[in-house]
Amino acid sequence: MTNTLPLRHRAEQLAATLPPLLVAAERVAASVAQGVHGRRRVGQGETFWQYRHYDLGDRPQSIDWRQSAKSDMVFVREMEWEAAQSVWIWRDASPSMSWTSDRNHQSKRQRADLLTLALSVLLMRGGEHIALLGSGLRPSASRATLTKIATLIENAAATTEAGGARAGSEGPEEAPASDNLPPALPLPRSAQVVFISDFLAPLEEIDKALRYYGEAGLRGALLQVLDPAEESLPYDGRVRFDGLEHEPPWLVSKVEAVRGDYARRLNAQREGLRDICRALGWGCDFHRSDQPPQAALLRLYTTLSQAVPC
């Protein structure tokens, strides 16, 4: 008993340093992992892609000693397959995602953050290299990178809630979240992308943002996350709707009179998202922030697995 106490104490100390979001994501991923199979993978290949600096979590066998001897840095020789078989995840961090109709369930932003990290956990367990699009972090399957992603997401959420950026922050930062669509960034060919948002922007803007990656040969999946009130518009009577991203307020004298038109417009938006993804050969799915996250996570993981060629 005396020998186990120090170990238990160290384990509790280590757990206390983990971002709470990562702990929650691990639980969600663990509940889904029982029902998934490993992603089908192509062979390692021998086509050289680039040298990069050695990072925590890299295998010592991947070090290129000849290249490292030319400088004071340690370099890893990265092959084309290792760069291509990476998954880049982007989730909408714009102000409208922080809205919730009921404080008893998560906001769209909180659910998108949870799914982003839980998907990363699942994919990394399968040996996949994961990166958060716009963060500056390179794709990796290391636990250290997973913790960095979790910390970055939590810090970004805290900054949003505080209403501004914190001065003097260190480490990687995400690309500005002023846009509610993924930024156009060059990625290795044959990589995969996952985009999580409410996707309520005009369809032509969404099509342009996604087509940038689709026409580059990347496979991908889209997940729309909505608040339950955004699906049903459950209000009655005179209601004023205030935008969270500088949109003008909308005063409706009788909400029940426009509920039918609203439902038809939302269905048209979703059909448009399906059409965009169908044209690109991508997966498209829909999730509500008051529903359990496990089903959406499993569908995302399955979509990515099926997109990998044998």
Side-chain angles (χ1 to χ4, degrees):
M1 178 65 70
T2 56
N3 291 333
T4 60
L5 284 177
L7 177 60
R8 177 180 176 182
H9 181 64
R10 291 197 301 272
E12 290 174 347
Q13 285 183 321
L14 177 61
T17 64
L18 292 177
L21 179 61
L22 179 55
V23 176
E26 293 272 15
R27 293 197 190 104
V28 173
S31 66
V32 172
Q34 301 282 343
V36 302
H37 303 284
R39 281 157 54 88
R40 295 172 291 173
R41 304 160 66 93
V42 296
Q44 287 283 341
E46 297 182 354
T47 305
F48 171 74
W49 185 53
Q50 68 173 7
Y51 290 114
R52 59 170 174 77
H53 294 154
Y54 179 84
D55 195 12
L56 182 65
D58 287 327
R59 296 179 301 114
Q61 297 91 328
S62 64
I63 296 175
D64 190 296
W65 296 108
R66 179 176 297 179
Q67 183 68 20
S68 301
K70 299 177 182 179
S71 70
D72 295 331
M73 304 296 295
V74 178
F75 289 93
V76 168
R77 185 180 180 89
E78 194 165 45
M79 310 309 286
E80 175 68 23
W81 181 88
E82 294 172 333
Q85 298 304 309
S86 55
V87 181
W88 301 73
I89 307 176
W90 174 87
R91 89 277 182 257
D92 188 350
S94 60
S96 63
M97 291 291 288
S98 298
W99 180 79
T100 177
S101 62
D102 187 343
R103 296 187 181 278
N104 292 322
H105 62 70
Q106 291 182 318
S107 68
K108 296 181 290 183
R109 168 73 177 270
Q110 291 170 325
R111 180 51 56 88
D113 287 348
L114 178 64
L115 286 171
T116 294
L117 203 54
L119 180 61
S120 299
V121 171
L122 268 185
L123 293 171
M124 283 185 176
R125 285 181 178 180
E128 304 297 339
H129 288 60
I130 309 301
L132 196 62
L133 186 68
S135 68
L137 295 174
R138 70 172 183 81
S140 172
S142 73
R143 180 74 186 187
T145 294
L146 184 62
T147 303
K148 288 178 183 177
I149 292 175
T151 301
L152 192 153
I153 289 176
E154 288 202 333
N155 288 345
T159 298
T160 300
E161 292 176 1
R166 292 170 298 176
S169 61
E170 297 181 356
E173 297 180 356
E174 286 185 277
S178 57
D179 296 329
N180 52 10
L181 291 173
L185 299 174
L187 297 181
R189 66 177 183 269
S190 299
Q192 287 183 286
V193 290
V194 177
F195 297 143
I196 305 175
S197 170
D198 57 13
F199 288 108
L200 295 176
L203 288 171
E204 57 269 22
E205 295 180 12
I206 297 174
D207 179 65
K208 180 180 178 181
L210 270 58
R211 194 170 295 278
Y212 170 85
Y213 291 97
E215 292 182 346
L218 278 70
R219 301 179 301 277
L222 176 153
L223 177 65
Q224 183 190 55
V225 178
L226 292 182
D227 184 275
E230 291 176 319
E231 281 198 342
S232 60
L233 198 64
Y235 310 107
D236 292 306
R238 182 184 176 92
V239 178
R240 189 179 104 163
F241 297 91
D242 292 320
L244 296 175
E245 298 181 15
H246 309 294
E247 305 96 337
W250 181 39
L251 181 63
V252 182
S253 58
K254 194 174 182 181
V255 174
E256 55 268 32
V258 302
R259 189 172 291 128
D261 289 339
Y262 176 87
R264 284 186 287 273
R265 184 160 183 178
L266 178 60
N267 287 333
Q269 181 78 5
R270 286 182 161 176
E271 283 302 317
L273 293 176
R274 290 190 182 97
D275 290 341
I276 292 171
C277 290
R278 191 178 299 116
L280 298 175
W282 288 15
C284 182
D285 197 14
F286 306 93
H287 177 64
R288 240 172 54 178
S289 59
D290 64 332
Q291 297 174 340
Q294 286 83 354
L297 177 61
L298 178 58
R299 291 193 299 268
L300 262 181
Y301 183 89
T302 302
T303 296
L304 294 175
S305 300
Q306 293 173 344
V308 178
C310 297

